[in-house]
Amino acid sequence: MSQLPGLHLRESHPQLCLTLRGETIEELSNAVRALSEYPADVIEFNAATFNGVSNFSQIGNALLLITSPLRDQRVVFSCPMAELPEYYQTQDDYYDILFFAIRTGLIDAVEIESTLDIDKIDELADEATEADIMPILTIRCDGPFSESDFADKLFSVVSEDIFAYHIICSPQSDEELAEIMECLHSCEAVHEDTQFIIETRGSYGKEALKNGNTFSSPILYAAPEETEDRLSVAELHDILQAK
């Protein structure tokens, strides 16, 4: 099911997600103190650049630091493999990091890269579901967009056991976005209850959001201050309030 305790995905009421990063516990602590200034529903902890990512006790400390002061926000744990220190960019290290994060019981959802071996994806998804943590499979569509390549990638990884998918893409036009959405709708028609969290990168995605297009995504991503890829959390919050 796509509704698990703590994190509910509804297209009609998109949730605002703010990504939390920090190389050190001190940087994370400063970022956590600033969270009260931002109207975010979901906090994504990107652990890949945290200098304690290879030390499970440090990951645990970081999650305790992040989750302890939160009241209404939900926490998604992510760790993009390509952003890890090169030495730890292995399937086994990546799996172990996510498995530990799930076992802490401190998170509401975990992002799993679709490039991970299918057996490891299934094991992590099962472990998360058993712990009432939502597994989210991340599908990255880098480089020039091809509708056929996107469809092949999408349909090859969709699982009967995972219901939430984080699609990271960089459409450059209304036509490309329409093709992406058509592929997702085709997939939804085959796999009931499947939900797609759509994150567009680049200037086109930002302009689409400014014009009120939320891509039917139940979660939308923002930054504390506007970046090349993301609107500021304040501006995106105002856009959602006006819808």
Side-chain angles (χ1 to χ4, degrees):
M1 60 184 297
S2 57
Q3 307 298 336
L4 289 178
L7 185 64
H8 304 288
L9 305 185
R10 295 180 298 167
E11 293 178 11
S12 58
H13 295 84
Q15 297 191 52
L16 188 53
C17 180
L18 188 63
T19 299
L20 194 64
R21 294 173 179 266
E23 292 188 13
T24 65
I25 285 289
E26 182 180 4
E27 288 181 7
L28 283 176
S29 180
N30 292 336
V32 168
R33 280 198 294 272
L35 286 178
S36 61
E37 302 174 18
Y38 305 114
D41 307 296
V42 181
I43 304 301
E44 176 195 22
F45 173 40
N46 183 331
T49 56
F50 175 52
N51 62 14
V53 70
S54 62
N55 184 318
F56 292 157
S57 65
Q58 289 298 307
I59 295 176
N61 289 339
L63 285 172
L64 281 170
L65 173 70
I66 293 166
T67 57
S68 293
L70 298 182
R71 294 294 180 265
D72 300 321
Q73 295 102 328
R74 303 305 177 185
V75 175
V76 176
F77 184 89
S78 73
C79 186
M81 195 184 304
E83 295 181 25
L84 283 167
E86 187 173 355
Y87 182 80
Y88 296 103
Q89 291 180 19
T90 71
Q91 295 260 330
D92 288 341
D93 286 323
Y94 176 74
Y95 172 90
D96 289 343
I97 291 167
L98 266 60
F99 186 85
F100 176 81
I102 293 168
R103 280 297 182 93
T104 66
L106 295 170
I107 59 178
D108 298 286
V110 59
E111 296 230 6
I112 307 169
E113 296 280 348
S114 61
T115 53
L116 191 63
D117 290 342
I118 187 61
D119 289 343
K120 287 182 166 62
I121 290 175
D122 289 342
E123 290 171 11
L124 288 170
D126 288 344
E127 190 73 24
T129 302
E130 283 292 319
D132 284 340
I133 292 168
M134 180 183 288
I136 301 173
L137 196 64
T138 303
I139 303 173
R140 299 179 184 275
C141 305
D142 301 318
F145 174 75
S146 161
E147 184 178 7
S148 60
D149 289 348
F150 176 71
D152 289 344
K153 180 178 287 192
L154 175 65
F155 279 90
S156 67
V157 299
V158 170
S159 163
E160 297 294 339
D161 300 317
I162 299 178
F163 299 92
Y165 296 82
H166 182 182
I167 310 297
I168 302 176
C169 54
S170 303
Q172 301 299 311
S173 65
D174 292 346
E175 291 73 21
E176 286 189 7
L177 179 59
E179 289 169 349
I180 290 171
M181 299 304 296
E182 184 176 349
C183 287
L184 297 183
H185 292 324
S186 297
C187 190
E188 287 173 329
V190 177
H191 300 276
E192 290 187 19
D193 294 330
T194 299
Q195 289 184 295
F196 295 106
I197 302 164
I198 303 170
E199 180 183 357
T200 60
R201 299 279 176 88
S203 58
Y204 172 85
K206 283 173 56 179
E207 287 303 313
L209 280 171
K210 286 181 179 180
N211 292 326
N213 185 350
T214 59
F215 322 113
S216 298
S217 178
I219 292 179
L220 298 173
Y221 294 83
E225 303 296 334
E226 186 169 341
T227 68
E228 182 178 351
D229 291 319
R230 293 181 176 180
L231 296 179
S232 72
V233 65
E235 182 173 7
L236 187 51
H237 177 263
D238 288 345
I239 291 168
L240 293 178
Q241 291 295 103
K243 283 183 67 67

